[in-house]
Amino acid sequence: MQLRFLAWPLFVVISHAAPLAYAEPAPVTARAATPTPAQPQAAEAARLLQDDRALARWVIEHSPEVGASRAELDAARAAQRGSRLFPNPVVELSVNNFALGDTNPRGLSRDKTLLYGVGVSEMVELGKRGPRIAAAGLRERAAQSRLSANVAERVAQARLALAQLVYARTRAGQLDASLAEARAAAQVAKGRLDHQALSGVDYDRLVIDLSTIETESAHAHADAEAAEAQCTAIMLSPCTTAAADLSALGPAASVPSSWQPKQLAERSDIRALTLEGSAATRDADLASARAIPDLTFRLGYAHDVFTIAGNISDSLSLSVSGPIPVSDRGQHAHAEALAHAAQYSRLARGTLVRAQGDVTALYTRKRALEGALERIQQDSLPRANGVLEAEERGLREGQLDITDLLLVRREAIALRLHALDLHFELFTVRNELRQALGLDEALAQR
């Protein structure tokens, strides 16, 4: 049988590496200083809450989830570059025409019957390269959008953890201040009791109220320690609240006074779903192109040493081959890709509708909280503090009903804590609004 091949030159390059120089390591003496491990940088709540870019840089540098998204983007970019490559050529080397049995009566040795060949084949894709490159490019853009969405989510999470710590520390400090006021009132009452100017029952009621405030203060400090532990876990570094109080939450997580529904369609997570749907549509085009057979061109060279029979010693051959798309024409892969495209389209639509509802609800809550907080700060809280000061002054002057003092104190403490809660709740709503509107996604661009 005659085989047709193309000669394929093989070049072997032998490189000689220079020997590596070896240096004897310096001996370690007993006086060598032991390196001190670097201490992790502390996350300053006041600075990070008021500087969104600094907070984003912190998250990008420390968050393992963001690192995973960046690795996903790197993989998508590598896949996009790989989609542009052409199929590798196939090289074949062969030795054929081994004689079996006796080669006599001609008396030929076995190496005189051999047929040597070498060839190269190359497959040419038809109608598939364009859809594959387009799908890979769309998935790269989708990975970039997911990275931006992940950064925004982690920024919102870190901002909330820092604010939770500031709120918990401020609440504990507020209860400590109320506890100091209650203890001072109890000291005054003890003096009046010693001079028989106050009944033992009234004094016991003051002590019971003092014990209640002490319990609330202890719980507040425990909550602050828990918030610090949670902040440390999220920020991957110790969190500090130096020079941070409730005023740090005021400018943090700022949001616009109004919004447009069209800006939600540009949110990174929705854009990523839309891009994935478009990539699936390109996958469907790629699957449809499987009905077009890819052609394989082959060029070969053959050298025949068995020329005694009149064979040609050297010859070239050219062939074209391709599959016949009888059963698999990509029809099932096409249907699968279209189903995935519909899936991503519905997910994007559902996410957009939920985002519109969330933003509307959050803006409604924001306006209600701002009104309630303004009423408490401008009216209720000053009145409660003034009445409490009057009652405590009456205790010192001996003109007081203990029942009134206890009621006024509890109301004042409740209003102070309620104002703190409203401050933190308002911040939480603004933080959720920034995430719902996609305002933190621009911070992913370093």
Side-chain angles (χ1 to χ4, degrees):
M1 177 182 299
Q2 180 180 0
L3 298 180
R4 289 168 284 180
F5 296 91
L6 171 68
W8 186 263
L10 301 177
F11 298 95
V12 179
V13 178
I14 303 175
S15 60
H16 300 278
L20 298 177
Y22 176 77
E24 192 71 20
V28 180
T29 62
R31 295 183 179 180
T34 303
T36 303
Q39 296 297 326
Q41 181 183 5
E44 302 176 11
R47 180 178 65 88
L48 295 178
L49 282 173
Q50 299 177 18
D51 190 345
D52 291 332
R53 294 193 178 277
L55 181 59
R57 285 194 300 269
W58 182 283
V59 168
I60 291 173
E61 293 172 0
H62 293 80
S63 173
E65 291 82 5
V66 172
S69 291
R70 296 181 69 177
E72 179 194 7
L73 176 59
D74 292 339
R77 286 173 175 169
Q80 196 275 337
R81 293 190 297 269
S83 67
R84 297 179 175 274
L85 300 178
F86 291 95
N88 290 326
V90 178
V91 177
E92 301 175 8
L93 299 174
S94 64
V95 180
N96 300 286
N97 207 30
F98 286 95
L100 300 178
D102 191 4
T103 61
N104 288 327
R106 298 184 181 272
L108 298 176
S109 60
R110 297 186 185 277
D111 61 341
K112 299 299 183 180
T113 65
L114 299 180
L115 178 64
Y116 301 94
V118 61
V120 60
S121 302
E122 176 67 28
M123 185 183 68
V124 178
E125 295 179 308
L126 300 178
K128 301 173 181 63
R129 180 176 170 82
R132 183 174 63 248
I133 294 175
L138 289 168
R139 288 194 168 92
E140 179 189 0
R141 292 168 56 192
Q144 178 68 61
S145 296
R146 281 193 292 272
L147 173 60
S148 299
N150 198 346
V151 170
E153 181 181 357
R154 301 302 164 184
V155 165
Q157 185 181 22
R159 187 188 291 120
L160 179 61
L162 293 169
Q164 178 77 40
L165 177 59
V166 172
Y167 161 73
R169 291 293 187 197
T170 304
R171 193 174 191 276
Q174 185 66 64
L175 282 170
D176 286 344
S178 299
L179 180 60
E181 295 174 356
R183 283 174 175 167
Q187 289 292 334
V188 174
K190 182 64 170 58
R192 293 189 59 194
L193 177 65
D194 293 341
H195 292 83
Q196 298 181 351
L198 185 69
S199 67
V201 174
D202 287 341
Y203 177 74
D204 290 341
R205 292 172 64 189
L206 281 173
V207 172
I208 293 173
D209 185 66
L210 175 61
S211 177
T212 301
I213 300 176
E214 288 176 342
T215 302
E216 293 177 356
S217 177
H219 287 169
H221 280 281
D223 292 340
E225 292 178 3
E228 183 176 359
Q230 184 178 15
C231 182
T232 300
I234 291 177
M235 304 299 291
L236 296 178
S237 185
C239 299
T240 62
T241 57
D245 53 18
L246 202 62
S247 62
L249 302 185
S254 59
V255 295
S257 58
S258 61
W259 64 286
Q260 298 296 329
K262 63 180 181 180
Q263 70 185 98
L264 296 181
E266 298 300 320
R267 232 173 60 173
S268 293
D269 56 342
I270 298 176
R271 188 167 61 249
L273 291 172
T274 303
L275 291 170
E276 287 288 355
S278 299
T281 302
R282 302 301 295 179
D283 288 341
D285 298 337
L286 178 62
S288 297
R290 286 164 60 176
I292 306 174
D294 297 328
L295 301 180
T296 300
F297 295 87
R298 185 174 182 279
L299 191 62
Y301 165 78
H303 176 67
D304 192 352
V305 299
F306 188 56
T307 58
I308 191 173
N311 297 343
I312 301 176
S313 60
D314 299 290
S315 62
L316 290 175
S317 64
L318 176 64
S319 65
V320 179
S321 62
I324 301 177
V326 176
S327 177
D328 183 8
R329 300 182 302 277
Q331 63 272 30
H332 301 299
H334 179 269
E336 178 185 359
L338 289 181
H340 284 308
Q343 173 192 6
Y344 287 119
S345 176
R346 290 183 174 90
L347 287 174
R349 176 61 181 168
T351 304
L352 178 60
V353 171
R354 285 193 300 272
Q356 291 174 346
D358 292 342
V359 171
T360 301
L362 288 170
Y363 266 105
T364 302
R365 285 182 56 196
K366 176 177 175 291
R367 288 190 294 268
L369 289 170
E370 288 172 341
L373 185 60
E374 182 178 4
R375 287 191 298 271
I376 289 179
Q377 289 182 326
Q378 300 298 328
D379 184 42
S380 302
L381 193 55
R383 290 176 183 271
N385 290 332
V387 173
L388 179 58
E389 292 175 1
E391 294 291 337
E392 291 176 344
R393 185 169 58 252
L395 174 64
R396 293 190 296 269
E397 297 174 357
Q399 303 172 358
L400 175 68
D401 184 351
I402 293 298
T403 301
D404 292 341
L405 173 61
L406 295 178
L407 289 176
V408 169
R409 177 184 294 159
R410 298 311 302 175
E411 289 176 356
I413 293 176
L415 276 174
R416 293 168 185 172
L417 297 180
H418 186 46
L420 289 177
D421 295 341
L422 287 177
H423 268 292
F424 180 67
E425 188 177 357
L426 180 58
F427 164 83
T428 303
V429 169
R430 294 200 309 267
N431 192 44
E432 293 177 2
L433 266 174
R434 286 189 65 87
Q435 188 173 4
L437 292 171
L439 300 179
D440 288 327
E441 293 170 0
L443 301 175
Q445 305 299 327
R446 302 186 62 178

